[in-house]
Amino acid sequence: MEKKWWHDKVAYQIYPKSFMDSNGDGIGDLQGVISKLDYLKELGVDIVWLSPIYQSPLADEGYDISDYYAIDQRFGSMQDMEELIAEAKKRGITILMDLVVNHCSDEHEWFKKACEDPDGKYGKFFYLRDKDPEGKLPTNWRSYFGGPCWEQLPGTGKLYLHVFHKKQPDLNWENPEVRKEVYKNIRWWMEKGIGGFRIDAIINIKKPEVFRDYPADRDDGLCSIINMLKDARGIGEFLGEMRDKAFKPYDAFTAGEVFNEKEGELPLFIGENGYFSTMFDFSVEMYEREGRGWFDKRPVDIDAFRDCMFSAHKKIGDIGFYSTIIENHDEPRGASRLLNDEIRNESAKKALATVYFLRRGLPFIYQGQEIGMENKKIRSVEELDDISSIDAYKVAIDAGLTEEEALKTLSSHSRDNARTPMQWSDEMHAGFTTGEPWLRENPNYAAINVKEQQGREDSVLSHYKKLIALRKDPAYKETIVYGDFVPCENCGGSLIAYLRKGVDQTILVAGNFTPDEKTVELPLTADGRRYAGGKVLLDNGREASVEDGSVRLDGFGAAAILLEELKKS
Ligand code: TEU
Ligand code: CA
């Protein structure tokens, strides 16, 4: 595999609205981010992905952009943005913007002009259809956030398509003018000195040639939008063009948010000369995908997590580099989702960090993950901010769940879980703001916060620092970044173990997610011998050792161990 500058880096996702508020209005902002750059530097972060900070009505918290060339004043100014890029650079940190171009906001100038003149230039920027006199919609597709994908184009006799919220009209990528605008914007931001983009919801830009109905899958008579994605062919033409015209000239780093790519498409997306540098490994999300709604998601435990991880590596092999995650702004907290109530302790959180972080791929840490932040209990529907969660609540009630049951579902799945204020200290509002936070903080901030963990050698935060340092250690870096991923298939329940095989060294990574001591048999060496022992490079404070071909782990133990081969007799 051709080596790239970003392969050995560590990335961190910031959700600006919830990261740090600098002026007491309860909303995180760019000056807040700047004030925490030293914290990120000390942690060992090289790449920062900023969730959207463009001008936006914030209907979907910034994933609905009304001006791609302006910063929303709640987050700051363009001057603040320039300062952030420059200050980050001084610390060796590269900034990634979020590229949200499947749709814009209904408050974008293009959409307003389309309403004024649907048959004119800007009408062609969107997917418009004439309204049927009988009121039948063009298709029965359900938007990701609930309800039909079609909405009346204000002031006209037409409908427009929105695969997400109605305030997020889909841009018509078939129109070369739209693509030209997108590429122009990408180049404009690259000129500002950013390192590249995380690319939002990109699989949705290609629609099928023929718009048709699919069998309804819920009582609302609608069908999942995924059906139309399956019929869409030829996304590669758009993505290849974007790569060549916008990314390549700047050698931009790009991380695609790709769900539902088709069988065999992985090499096209992130192989040599792929459309993107990398894409996220969403195998856990794909595993749990809802049937009838969020309440119907398949629970993920440690064994499911391990199986997803192993199959993802099998699938990607040497094709490219995944970006690895345990959470992001759309998911519940990794520690809450993957560790059940009985095992959610600091050792297990550090074990989880270990097994995900030392995989092959580019690790992304989501803000607060590094201190083991957890889901927040949702007490009432009024507390919900996220549009997707509000819909999921309704879907659960319509399906016959009680209010209590529906809220329980939301407490485990709501996107708000990831969006509560970052927990900096045990001061009021977790040290996030001196005002009233836009979203209630998790009441556990007195126990879980950066300040407390910074001073403690055995904290989750200290463990992340050690993981990052190990990944960058010249003695092991080559193996951790490029070594093969060899799963220990016979791990057993609630255990995860794999080898990273480099040119001349093998590192075992293992985690025990039970309170009891466990032993896992290791695969044999290439020439059929057992591993004799090993040097612990990192552990989570619990004991781990290798002897006679197996690894022994304390309850909740996790470690990275440099394996020693038995000398040939
Ligand atoms: O998410 C895209 C996506 O595929 C969603 O369906 C995601 O699975 C869902 O939000 C889970 O509830 C991206 C962004 O990450 C998300 O925050 C935005 O809301 C969405 O695009 C629209 O821009
Ligand atoms: Ca603010």
Side-chain angles (χ1 to χ4, degrees):
M1 174 181 295
E2 196 195 326
K3 294 191 175 170
K4 298 280 164 58
W5 67 266
W6 52 269
H7 281 159
D8 60 359
K9 302 291 185 262
V10 172
Y12 188 95
Q13 181 190 354
I14 290 183
Y15 195 72
K17 201 176 182 189
S18 309
F19 191 60
M20 183 64 203
D21 175 21
S22 71
N23 62 353
D25 67 356
I27 298 175
D29 46 51
L30 292 176
Q31 283 300 333
V33 175
I34 294 171
S35 73
K36 295 297 180 185
L37 283 172
D38 286 331
Y39 167 78
L40 297 173
K41 169 87 189 149
E42 207 204 310
L43 182 59
V45 168
D46 313 287
I47 299 174
V48 166
W49 152 27
L50 281 187
S51 273
I53 36 86
Y54 312 88
Q55 185 182 299
S56 162
L58 305 189
D60 186 20
E61 298 304 359
Y63 284 91
D64 48 322
I65 299 170
S66 55
D67 186 346
Y68 290 92
Y69 298 92
I71 303 296
D72 195 276
Q73 53 179 10
R74 284 161 283 197
F75 297 128
S77 63
M78 193 56 78
Q79 208 179 335
D80 294 325
M81 187 63 210
E82 284 160 5
E83 188 182 331
L84 170 59
I85 296 169
E87 286 301 317
K89 203 173 216 161
K90 274 189 205 160
R91 292 163 178 83
I93 296 174
T94 307
I95 302 286
L96 305 182
M97 292 287 272
D98 212 314
L99 186 69
V100 189
V101 288
N102 171 68
H103 44 269
C104 59
S105 160
D106 66 341
E107 297 183 31
H108 194 287
E109 205 193 351
W110 299 332
F111 191 78
K112 289 186 191 157
K113 287 186 177 157
C115 297
E116 281 160 22
D117 181 12
D119 299 315
K121 172 175 171 175
Y122 291 100
K124 298 188 181 65
F125 269 45
F126 300 93
Y127 289 96
L128 305 185
R129 292 286 185 275
D130 287 326
K131 247 173 126 173
D132 172 280
E134 252 95 83
K136 188 181 177 308
L137 296 176
T139 63
N140 69 341
W141 307 343
R142 182 186 309 106
S143 81
Y144 286 103
F145 297 152
C149 271
W150 298 98
E151 185 73 21
Q152 173 163 358
L153 188 69
T156 73
K158 289 188 190 289
L159 301 168
Y160 68 92
L161 176 74
H162 60 90
V163 306
F164 290 93
H165 194 254
K166 65 176 184 221
K167 284 188 70 64
Q168 297 166 300
D170 279 52
L171 286 166
N172 183 358
W173 274 67
E174 305 295 336
N175 178 354
E177 294 283 325
V178 167
R179 306 205 296 274
K180 224 167 86 189
E181 287 289 350
V182 170
Y183 309 153
K184 185 177 111 191
N185 180 250
I186 293 172
R187 290 192 291 258
W188 191 87
W189 277 104
M190 290 308 299
E191 293 285 344
K192 281 233 171 275
I194 62 166
F197 296 89
R198 173 267 187 182
I199 300 165
D200 187 66
I202 195 68
I203 208 77
N204 298 284
I205 62 170
K206 187 73 197 186
K207 275 66 176 179
E209 215 164 301
V210 180
F211 283 19
R212 63 181 179 98
D213 284 353
Y214 302 90
D217 50 30
R218 288 185 200 161
D219 291 342
D220 59 8
L222 303 175
C223 72
S224 161
I225 193 76
I226 305 297
N227 290 291
M228 78 86 179
L229 285 184
K230 283 189 192 140
D231 275 350
R233 292 278 173 284
I235 193 172
E237 281 161 42
F238 296 156
L239 298 181
E241 184 184 78
M242 175 157 65
R243 171 197 58 206
D244 296 339
K245 293 200 166 160
F247 299 143
K248 256 211 183 135
Y250 293 92
D251 196 20
F253 167 83
T254 54
E257 191 204 18
V258 182
F259 287 102
N260 306 96
E261 85 275 10
K262 297 188 173 64
E263 188 75 27
E265 271 184 339
L266 207 47
L268 297 172
F269 276 79
I270 55 169
E272 201 117 333
N273 197 33
Y275 309 135
F276 306 123
S277 312
T278 174
M279 60 193 239
F280 294 95
D281 170 17
F282 285 129
S283 45
V284 170
E285 288 67 28
M286 296 307 279
Y287 172 92
E288 71 169 4
R289 277 234 147 178
E290 65 222 50
R292 291 171 298 144
W294 285 8
F295 70 89
D296 201 22
K297 282 190 182 189
R298 182 147 64 133
V300 198
D301 58 10
I302 273 296
D303 292 333
F305 172 67
R306 178 196 58 225
D307 296 348
C308 286
M309 183 196 299
F310 286 4
S311 51
H313 283 287
K314 214 167 268 170
K315 187 167 146 195
I316 196 161
D318 210 27
I319 290 171
F321 243 59
Y322 269 133
S323 285
T324 58
I325 53 166
I326 55 169
E327 61 197 63
N328 64 29
H329 68 293
D330 290 333
E331 308 295 336
R333 289 290 178 177
S336 299
R337 180 198 217 170
L338 303 170
L339 306 173
N340 66 38
D341 293 348
E342 284 80 61
I343 65 170
R344 196 175 310 112
N345 55 55
E346 275 207 325
S347 296
K349 284 180 182 177
K350 288 187 274 181
L352 180 61
T354 308
V355 295
Y356 116 87
F357 198 85
L358 297 174
R359 296 172 62 181
R360 190 176 205 245
L362 173 68
F364 272 73
I365 301 169
Y366 178 70
Q367 67 182 44
Q369 175 188 325
E370 74 275 27
I371 54 168
M373 277 177 67
E374 299 176 358
N375 285 351
K376 172 178 83 165
K377 190 168 190 305
I378 314 276
R379 298 170 302 195
S380 88
V381 63
E382 280 77 45
E383 239 180 70
L384 293 172
D385 168 81
D386 164 36
I387 39 177
S388 190
S389 302
I390 293 168
D391 174 65
Y393 176 81
K394 206 177 138 279
V395 169
I397 296 290
D398 289 350
L401 272 73
T402 65
E403 195 180 322
E404 198 186 331
E405 289 163 341
L407 286 174
K408 199 161 164 242
T409 292
L410 267 296
S411 293
S412 5
H413 297 299
S414 173
R415 303 200 298 179
D416 285 342
N417 281 312
R419 302 174 181 186
T420 59
M422 175 72 184
Q423 293 166 203
W424 294 107
S425 72
D426 62 358
E427 284 157 46
M428 194 152 78
H429 302 310
F432 160 73
T433 181
T434 52
E436 273 306 306
W438 69 277
L439 186 67
R440 184 176 67 91
E441 66 276 354
N442 191 317
N444 70 9
Y445 70 86
I448 301 177
N449 65 69
V450 170
K451 198 163 165 227
E452 188 277 326
Q453 296 198 15
Q454 261 171 341
R456 188 156 57 79
E457 181 56 17
D458 63 352
S459 67
V460 180
L461 180 61
S462 300
H463 190 69
Y464 268 94
K465 284 188 190 161
K466 288 177 202 161
L467 283 167
I468 295 174
L470 177 62
R471 189 177 151 87
K472 294 186 175 184
D473 186 331
Y476 310 111
K477 182 168 143 172
E478 196 64 21
T479 303
I480 295 174
V481 175
Y482 293 107
D484 286 342
F485 181 97
V486 183
C488 301
E489 300 281 7
N490 56 348
C491 290
S494 299
L495 289 164
I496 300 181
Y498 56 82
L499 306 183
R500 300 299 315 279
K501 276 188 178 257
V503 182
D504 50 14
Q505 58 183 202
T506 300
I507 296 173
L508 162 74
V509 179
N512 173 8
F513 296 87
T514 76
D516 312 313
E517 180 184 316
K518 294 276 177 189
T519 305
V520 184
E521 204 180 312
L522 300 175
L524 300 177
T525 65
D527 54 3
R529 286 170 296 139
R530 291 156 85 80
Y531 288 104
K535 175 179 154 198
V536 175
L537 304 178
L538 165 144
D539 63 32
N540 68 339
R542 307 263 166 164
E543 268 197 31
S545 57
V546 169
E547 242 174 83
D548 194 26
S550 20
V551 55
R552 195 201 62 77
L553 296 163
D554 266 1
F556 298 118
I561 302 176
L562 181 67
L563 294 178
E564 284 160 20
E565 298 195 9
L566 248 188
K567 298 277 169 302
K568 273 190 184 140
S569 51

